[in-house]
Amino acid sequence: MTSSRVWKLGADVDTDALAPGAYMKNGIDVISQHCLEALRPDFASAVRPGDVLVAGPNFGIGSSREQAAGALVHLGVRAVVAPSFSGLFFRNAFNLGLLLLTCPDAEQLHEDEIITLSPAGVHRADGQVLSCQPIPDFLMDMVHAGGLMNVLKQRSQGTRHA
Amino acid sequence: MTSSRVWKLGADVDTDALAPGAYMKNGIDVISQHCLEALRPDFASAVRPGDVLVAGPNFGIGSSREQAAGALVHLGVRAVVAPSFSGLFFRNAFNLGLLLLTCPDAEQLHEDEIITLSPAGVHRADGQVLSCQPIPDFLMDMVHAGGLMNVLKQRSQGTRHA
């Protein structure tokens, strides 16, 4: 398991914070540079591949725009850990290969804390494990493949079987 | 628009309430007869096709079992209206053709109230409309087709185009 650094956010982080409306005519490169700038102006420039977002309830509410998840994938975010997610965001995120962990105790985690993720949950440096709702295999397949389209491509090429 | 009768439930309705673990070895016919019996013993026998469930936040939390949504489809429930849903439940429900409306003010609705649903939201008899998060076309296609598998079948048969 690889360790990850935590970026801590509050509740109700919406899709406009993740993919600001003003930049939606641009490509994902530009949108990503403005990801979360209203909440954390340093985010896009300081986030490192493998970092994890930890947030309060209702992460990803707002619109159905897929770029909200796409910007996090583009920036290399490994996962988002929160007590609850918007249903549309949850669907879009896994389709793009972004792991979301539903963790009732997510808000116990701190900014800059180093954690590791496993199927059992979130492991803290002191040995504590915050349990998360298990993710079904078909969704983990999407995460490992880098998204639904890659799963479908692999299946059509016969490199994996349904 | 067709009118629907409201069944009112509380917050955190979980997948074990929808598809009780004790019956999971049975088929959907049997599971459906026990749907919500822990919360509303009369539900499975009294619900009528076209009725709507209205609930508090976090509807469908718990496990990833698809029968939780499947039982509601089997009983003819038209939609579930709630302020928030479990991400896994949201995904499973649309895959099976069950409409979920994310409605911040859902809890204003009453037991036995007659409502109609439209893309704009939930219409009440007094003319008030409770707005809901818009559902993208690709998910409404699943609802109209009766689930993802039917969408894929229709596409493979050339009766509709992606």
Side-chain angles (χ1 to χ4, degrees), chain A residues 58 61-64 84-88 90-92 94-95 133-134 136 138-139 142 148, chain B residues 58 61-64 84-88 90-92 94-95 133-134 136 138-139 142 148:
Chain A
N58 295 321
I61 56 171
S63 82
S64 61
S84 60
F85 296 90
S86 146
L88 286 171
F90 193 91
R91 189 168 188 112
N92 288 337
F94 279 94
N95 284 354
Q133 185 179 29
F138 79 97
L139 289 182
M142 289 190 206
L148 174 60
Chain B
N58 296 321
I61 56 170
S63 81
S64 61
S84 60
F85 296 90
S86 146
L88 285 170
F90 192 91
R91 190 169 187 110
N92 288 337
F94 279 93
N95 283 354
Q133 185 179 28
F138 79 97
L139 290 181
M142 290 190 205
L148 174 60

Side-chain angles (χ1 to χ4, degrees), chain A residues 64-113:
Chain A
S64 61
R65 67 185 73 160
E66 199 177 51
Q67 294 91 333
L72 297 179
V73 171
H74 192 77
L75 293 169
V77 169
R78 171 165 295 150
V80 184
V81 180
S84 60
F85 296 90
S86 146
L88 286 171
F89 182 80
F90 193 91
R91 189 168 188 112
N92 288 337
F94 279 94
N95 284 354
L96 293 178
L98 178 63
L99 176 63
L100 305 184
L101 292 173
T102 303
C103 178
D105 298 321
E107 289 167 291
Q108 291 185 20
L109 298 166
H110 307 301
E111 174 76 12
D112 276 338
E113 183 170 344

Side-chain angles (χ1 to χ4, degrees), chain B residues 68-122:
Chain B
L72 297 179
V73 171
H74 192 77
L75 293 168
V77 169
R78 171 165 295 149
V80 184
V81 181
S84 60
F85 296 90
S86 146
L88 285 170
F89 182 81
F90 192 91
R91 190 169 187 110
N92 288 337
F94 279 93
N95 283 354
L96 294 177
L98 177 63
L99 176 63
L100 305 185
L101 292 173
T102 303
C103 178
D105 296 322
E107 289 167 290
Q108 291 186 22
L109 298 166
H110 307 301
E111 175 75 14
D112 276 337
E113 183 169 345
I114 303 299
I115 58 173
T116 54
L117 306 178
S118 83
V122 177

